[in-house]
Amino acid sequence: MATDTKQRILDTAERLFAERGYAATSLRHIIAAAGVNLAAVHYHFRSKQELLKAVVARRIEPINRERIRSLEAAEREAGPEGPSVARILEAFLLPVFEASRHPDFEPSVFPRLFGMLYGESGDEVREFFVQEMQAVAARFFSALSRALPHLPEEEIYWRMFFSVGVIAHILRGGQELKLLSQGRCDFSRWEELAPRAVDFLAGAFAAPARTESHKVHG
Amino acid sequence: MATDTKQRILDTAERLFAERGYAATSLRHIIAAAGVNLAAVHYHFRSKQELLKAVVARRIEPINRERIRSLEAAEREAGPEGPSVARILEAFLLPVFEASRHPDFEPSVFPRLFGMLYGESGDEVREFFVQEMQAVAARFFSALSRALPHLPEEEIYWRMFFSVGVIAHILRGGQELKLLSQGRCDFSRWEELAPRAVDFLAGAFAAPARTESHKVHG
DNA sequence: GTCTATATGGGGATAGAC
DNA sequence: GTCTATCCCCATATAGAC
């Protein structure tokens, strides 16, 4: 079949990039696992870097669509005062977590891919990623600004940035947590993890803005 | 000099690992930038992986000592009820941020190294890292448990884990933030960033624990 | 401790037949 | 669209002279 090879390359590359990182995964690993020919990778995608972009684009686009859809639904339901911070955060977080249960691919493969994106990948791929996120970030910034009118704009951006750190860290899988908590925490149930993260971040957004004169040690 | 070569390798490897990642940085890049011979790397360190461990160990040990020292100072000052969550978080966060101003190396080099550690690095190096963090994590877990007696132990671990995500994301440098905030946020002043992160996380720890029956969409 | 030289293997990319 | 064969470069690691 025409597209079968291309799909197999995408699926396998996604899995291996997520498991081992971008630089540490060679095209030869990918073609061996996918059962395709090396030249096919360069035929369907032009280079390893373009392959990574294709892998990312395939997942991020539906997720960002769902984020916007969910946020707009929340805004319709909420009336003029706008949705709560918790509801806005849900609109941002849940689509990612739910994507990990998509039938197209094994659970937990794709989230780690995104976690990896933040740590690794060259400047060009990161730029591409930022470009994909720009519209979504602006949209959520507006919603959060309305829900938190007392916070300076700059502070909203910082807190969004910190929140992305939490998400990326969760997606990265956190083998450390299981060890450091002596087995008390693990990642097997995503549906429990998302509410925890939402609560945590809602609390963080509720923190007052520090006044300029406030000293660190209080 | 005897130790000069070893130091130069360590310094250069630290910088390059931080800038480009572990897998993407070859020993040849390192020796070229350091002006030393390839064989010297294998003489002083046994392998590339051991070199990474050495790089990490050199920085993490004084930081973790300072974290413990600062936490103990806070506990002495606070009396029987123990220090506040914000003060505990400062004890954990500030040593990392302040390490970036150490005269030994260029600012902002080392923090990115730690940011990278979470995203990349093989299982063995991550295991080594967890081992280095175990005692510190246990110590801060105790302090946070005392400050937040209403939270289940498991929840404290989760929130510590989320917090590490924030730190790692900050350390990774966040070129995205500057772009997404249209230039309003940048990372040039670390001394302003740390209080922001402390406030954010203190708010997050102050969030109530979600009861089991609570539904996601409220 | 430091060098040169080399062993040994893997990397991305491409040409050209089918 | 898919294959084989190959170009050319780079990787980590080591042996052995100095």
Side-chain angles (χ1 to χ4, degrees):
Chain A
M1 241 168 281
T3 47
D4 187 45
T5 296
K6 194 169 179 179
Q7 288 297 323
R8 289 244 295 281
I9 295 170
L10 274 175
D11 292 341
T12 311
E14 176 175 73
R15 181 167 59 82
L16 292 179
F17 286 157
E19 283 172 12
R20 320 161 52 131
Y22 173 72
T25 301
S26 69
L27 294 181
R28 293 177 142 89
H29 291 144
I30 294 169
I31 60 155
V36 302
N37 190 275
L38 174 59
V41 177
H42 290 95
Y43 174 80
H44 287 289
F45 313 90
R46 294 154 26 98
S47 66
K48 189 186 178 187
Q49 200 175 68
E50 291 297 315
L51 171 60
L52 175 58
K53 283 192 194 174
V55 164
V56 172
R58 184 173 64 148
R59 299 303 179 196
I60 199 174
E61 281 160 10
I63 285 172
N64 279 347
R65 270 199 302 277
E66 173 60 17
R67 280 170 163 162
I68 296 290
R69 194 207 58 74
S70 176
L71 179 60
E72 286 175 350
E75 284 172 339
R76 272 196 306 278
E77 292 160 16
E81 79 282 6
S84 69
V85 170
R87 185 65 189 80
I88 295 167
L89 290 170
E90 281 173 10
F92 193 77
L93 291 177
L94 296 188
V96 190
F97 291 126
E98 266 155 24
S100 72
R101 298 185 296 183
H102 199 279
D104 274 6
F105 49 97
E106 303 187 29
S108 93
V109 161
F110 139 87
R112 297 207 61 208
L113 174 74
F114 274 64
M116 178 216 81
L117 253 194
Y118 286 100
E120 251 199 293
S121 78
D123 287 348
E124 195 189 319
V125 175
R126 211 192 325 268
E127 210 171 303
F128 166 77
F129 187 66
V130 167
Q131 197 180 320
E132 292 278 329
M133 294 299 299
Q134 200 116 38
V136 176
R139 195 69 190 69
F140 278 81
F141 171 77
S142 297
L144 287 168
S145 294
R146 186 153 69 137
L148 299 161
H150 58 289
L151 284 185
E153 288 197 348
E154 195 190 348
E155 185 69 26
I156 304 250
Y157 276 116
W158 279 109
R159 294 188 185 187
M160 283 175 68
F161 175 72
F162 295 155
S163 301
V164 169
V166 172
I167 299 168
H169 201 56
I170 292 170
L171 296 182
R172 229 171 284 123
Q175 297 97 326
E176 321 97 57
L177 179 59
K178 200 161 184 174
L179 296 169
L180 291 176
S181 72
Q182 289 142 14
R184 261 170 286 197
C185 305
D186 81 289
F187 281 77
S188 48
R189 285 164 312 190
W190 292 85
E191 65 277 10
E192 176 181 322
L193 225 168
R196 269 191 218 281
V198 168
D199 288 352
F200 181 85
L201 293 177
F205 272 99
R210 179 174 293 218
T211 60
E212 207 182 315
S213 61
H214 191 109
K215 291 289 278 287
V216 167
H217 272 232
Chain B
M1 237 168 285
T3 46
D4 187 46
T5 296
K6 194 170 178 177
Q7 289 297 323
R8 290 244 294 281
I9 294 169
L10 274 175
D11 291 342
T12 311
E14 175 176 72
R15 181 168 59 80
L16 292 179
F17 286 159
E19 284 172 12
R20 320 159 52 130
Y22 173 72
T25 302
S26 68
L27 295 180
R28 291 177 141 87
H29 292 143
I30 295 169
I31 60 155
V36 301
N37 189 275
L38 174 60
V41 177
H42 290 96
Y43 175 79
H44 288 289
F45 313 90
R46 294 154 24 100
S47 67
K48 189 187 179 187
Q49 199 174 70
E50 292 297 315
L51 171 60
L52 175 58
K53 282 191 194 175
V55 165
V56 172
R58 184 172 64 145
R59 297 305 178 195
I60 199 173
E61 281 160 10
I63 286 173
N64 280 346
R65 269 199 302 278
E66 174 59 18
R67 280 169 163 163
I68 296 289
R69 194 208 59 72
S70 176
L71 179 60
E72 286 174 350
E75 285 172 339
R76 272 195 307 279
E77 293 160 16
E81 77 284 5
S84 69
V85 171
R87 184 67 189 79
I88 295 168
L89 290 170
E90 281 174 11
F92 193 77
L93 291 177
L94 296 187
V96 191
F97 291 126
E98 266 154 26
S100 72
R101 299 186 295 186
H102 200 278
D104 274 5
F105 49 98
E106 305 186 29
S108 91
V109 161
F110 139 86
R112 298 206 61 209
L113 175 74
F114 274 64
M116 178 216 80
L117 251 194
Y118 286 101
E120 250 199 293
S121 80
D123 288 348
E124 194 188 319
V125 176
R126 208 190 327 265
E127 210 170 303
F128 165 76
F129 186 67
V130 167
Q131 197 179 319
E132 293 277 330
M133 293 301 299
Q134 198 116 39
V136 176
R139 194 71 188 70
F140 277 81
F141 170 77
S142 297
L144 287 168
S145 294
R146 186 153 69 138
L148 299 160
H150 58 289
L151 285 184
E153 288 198 348
E154 194 190 347
E155 185 68 26
I156 305 250
Y157 276 116
W158 280 109
R159 294 186 185 188
M160 286 175 66
F161 175 73
F162 294 155
S163 302
V164 169
V166 172
I167 299 168
H169 201 56
I170 292 170
L171 297 180
R172 229 171 285 126
Q175 296 98 325
E176 321 98 58
L177 179 59
K178 200 161 185 175
L179 295 171
L180 292 176
S181 73
Q182 289 143 14
R184 262 171 283 198
C185 306
D186 83 289
F187 281 77
S188 48
R189 287 165 311 191
W190 290 86
E191 64 278 8
E192 175 183 321
L193 223 169
R196 268 191 219 281
V198 169
D199 288 353
F200 181 85
L201 293 177
F205 271 100
R210 179 173 293 217
T211 59
E212 207 183 315
S213 59
H214 193 107
K215 290 290 277 289
V216 165
H217 274 232

